[in-house]
Amino acid sequence: MKEIEAEALTEITNAKEELALEKIRVKYLGRKEGIVTEALRSLKNLSLEEKKRQGPQINALKAKLEKTLEIKKRDLEEGKNKKTLDIDITRPGEKIIKERKITTGHLHPLTVLENEIKDVFRSMNFSVLEGPEIESEFYNFDALNVPPDHPAREMWDTFWIKSENAKTSKEKLLLRTHTSPMQIRYMESHEPPLQIVVPGRVFRFEATDQTHEVNFYQYEGLMVGKNISLANFKYVIETFLKRIFGKDIEFRYRPSYFPFVEPGLEIAIKFRGKWLEMMGAGMVHPNVFKAVHYNPRDYRGFAFGGGLERLAMVKYNIPDIRLFYSGDTRFTNQF
Ligand code: FA5
């Protein structure tokens, strides 16, 4: 009986399919010639004593085999079901393959770069903030040392917003021509030391070409404290450029003029064989400090304002600024 049991159990374990399992059942438990069935049947030829000894053993074996067969049968059935579930879940559904491909969205290259800029400045302890796109004449010009009759106003062709009843320059509205008004807004409500960066959209009423848009983005920087110098500016800006471009790039500083800085300078980067103006900058003008009621004798600071698209053009080697706003997905899908 022990031998039969071992043999039957091995066969059951090795059975690969239900048909094979049925054959094993017939072989051992079949009504006509099953080995165990035969053994039970032959009990009647034995002495009473032997019957008492062997009867329970054979019955126990019969029960055990029945149970094992049942479990194995269930396993095989489950295995079969599993097989039908054995699919590649990363594969798009049949319907989707046939009808349409699912395309996932992604960020616009300018958004990606703006996020990168914020990260770089945050890592240098700058706070990131935003300001209003509709500004007043006061914040966009007057407080930045550009009074109404100042010739420098011509540097920024402005979209004015009709505001007939406006009496003061704080009430006269326009689409901001640069992010610099946020210098004033922030200093009005904060005391130095401070260091901020302000990305945002700006507008200019000017003709477009390969490097000029009517609507573009700037990132404004401002750092004010007791002993801030151009050396601090140089360090911050060179660290910034290295982090954005991941390598040394060819750039130059040149003296420039902006009414709200003294001295003023501009930074250009060599791009496709030409110098491309990237940002204006300089040491905050004493009149700007006066406008926010800081004593110009107490504080010094630097400010800069750069063009986001220009930075992206150089970083991604894009020849024409207008591509950013073309809405052409063949362009944006490359990012
Ligand atoms: C300004 O707007 C100053 N507010 C910058 C500044 C800030 C100077 C703080 C000093 C201190 P500017 O007009 O040069 O300056 O513009 C700054 C940058 O914006 C330019 O260097 C250029 O990179 C970008 N830019 C200017 N005009 C356009 C335009 N039409 N299209 C795309 N980018 C432009």
Side-chain angles (χ1 to χ4, degrees):
M1 276 305 139
K2 282 265 177 276
E3 263 170 42
I4 292 170
E5 180 179 339
E7 199 180 316
L9 290 179
T10 315
E11 281 175 37
I12 294 171
T13 312
N14 293 340
K16 294 271 183 303
E17 50 181 24
E18 281 173 70
L19 200 67
L21 201 64
E22 177 58 15
K23 277 187 185 155
I24 299 167
R25 192 192 66 77
V26 172
K27 178 177 170 188
Y28 292 95
L29 304 176
R31 254 198 293 147
K32 279 189 184 154
E33 284 170 354
I35 298 172
V36 179
T37 319
E38 281 294 306
L40 279 172
R41 215 172 272 145
S42 60
L43 277 177
K44 64 176 186 281
N45 305 326
L46 300 176
S47 64
L48 193 63
E49 217 168 287
E50 275 299 295
K51 261 187 213 159
K52 270 191 188 161
R53 198 174 63 80
Q54 284 190 28
Q57 279 179 13
I58 303 172
N59 272 319
L61 175 60
K62 185 180 175 215
K64 187 170 184 177
L65 291 187
E66 277 170 350
K67 185 98 193 136
T68 317
L69 281 164
E70 193 188 310
I71 293 170
K72 178 73 182 183
K73 194 172 170 191
R74 216 183 303 136
D75 284 354
L76 286 177
E77 270 168 12
E78 269 174 24
K80 210 163 69 183
N81 290 341
K82 240 188 227 151
K83 213 168 192 176
T84 58
L85 279 175
D86 189 13
I87 50 168
D88 176 3
I89 56 159
T90 61
R91 202 167 160 252
E94 292 299 329
K95 204 165 168 230
I96 293 163
I97 292 177
K98 277 193 206 122
E99 286 169 13
R100 69 193 158 94
K101 272 192 186 157
I102 288 188
T103 44
T104 51
H106 57 88
L107 297 177
H108 190 277
L110 290 177
T111 312
V112 174
L113 187 57
E114 188 187 297
N115 288 341
E116 236 176 272
I117 291 173
K118 289 186 206 166
D119 284 347
V120 172
F121 281 108
R122 277 198 195 103
S123 77
M124 289 192 275
N125 233 1
F126 279 69
S127 305
V128 177
L129 54 136
E130 286 179 13
E133 289 172 6
I134 294 178
E135 258 300 358
S136 68
E137 180 184 21
F138 175 78
Y139 287 108
N140 197 83
F141 291 124
D142 297 357
L144 285 164
N145 198 28
V146 198
D149 50 359
H150 198 294
R153 284 219 179 174
E154 282 176 21
M155 290 167 75
W156 298 282
D157 297 305
T158 310
F159 285 108
W160 291 91
I161 293 174
K162 274 188 191 157
S163 36
E164 277 115 18
N165 300 327
K167 288 189 188 67
T168 66
S169 69
K170 276 202 175 174
E171 289 165 349
K172 272 197 193 160
L173 301 179
L174 47 81
L175 294 180
R176 67 176 173 190
T177 59
H178 51 179
T179 40
S180 301
M182 275 307 285
Q183 291 185 30
I184 305 295
R185 286 185 180 274
Y186 192 78
M187 286 192 285
E188 267 182 349
S189 54
H190 295 80
E191 288 296 313
L194 56 90
Q195 44 201 83
I196 58 167
V197 67
V198 189
R201 193 179 194 182
V202 301
F203 309 85
R204 290 193 195 172
F205 181 47
E206 61 182 36
T208 59
D209 62 23
Q210 284 193 337
T211 54
H212 292 85
E213 258 295 354
V214 177
N215 152 149
F216 60 101
Y217 282 79
Q218 287 191 336
Y219 49 97
E220 189 83 10
L222 175 70
M223 184 169 186
V224 180
K226 287 220 176 291
N227 294 307
I228 305 296
S229 73
L230 265 186
N232 298 110
F233 169 70
K234 193 165 176 284
Y235 173 80
V236 166
I237 234 52
E238 287 176 18
T239 305
F240 166 68
L241 292 177
K242 252 186 216 151
R243 291 272 300 276
I244 292 296
F245 293 103
K247 57 177 189 236
D248 287 324
I249 36 141
E250 205 180 335
F251 65 96
R252 71 175 185 196
Y253 296 101
R254 287 215 303 190
S256 185
Y257 172 73
F258 300 94
F260 31 91
V261 288
E262 180 59 38
L265 49 109
E266 67 174 46
I267 295 174
I269 293 182
K270 198 62 162 294
F271 179 56
R272 295 179 165 236
K274 283 191 195 151
W275 290 106
L276 181 62
E277 203 189 303
M278 300 304 288
M279 65 171 72
M283 297 303 291
V284 179
H285 196 288
N287 286 350
V288 172
F289 283 148
K290 280 182 202 157
V292 296
H293 308 294
Y294 286 1
N295 185 343
R297 290 179 191 280
D298 292 342
Y299 298 115
R300 247 162 256 291
F302 66 74
F304 59 87
L308 180 66
E309 290 80 0
R310 301 258 178 110
L311 207 62
M313 285 171 76
V314 178
K315 186 169 162 94
Y316 304 125
N317 194 16
I318 295 161
D320 196 317
I321 194 171
R322 290 166 292 197
L323 281 166
F324 290 112
Y325 300 100
S326 62
D328 189 339
T329 49
R330 286 172 306 179
F331 171 72
T332 45
N333 281 347
Q334 293 176 50
F335 296 91

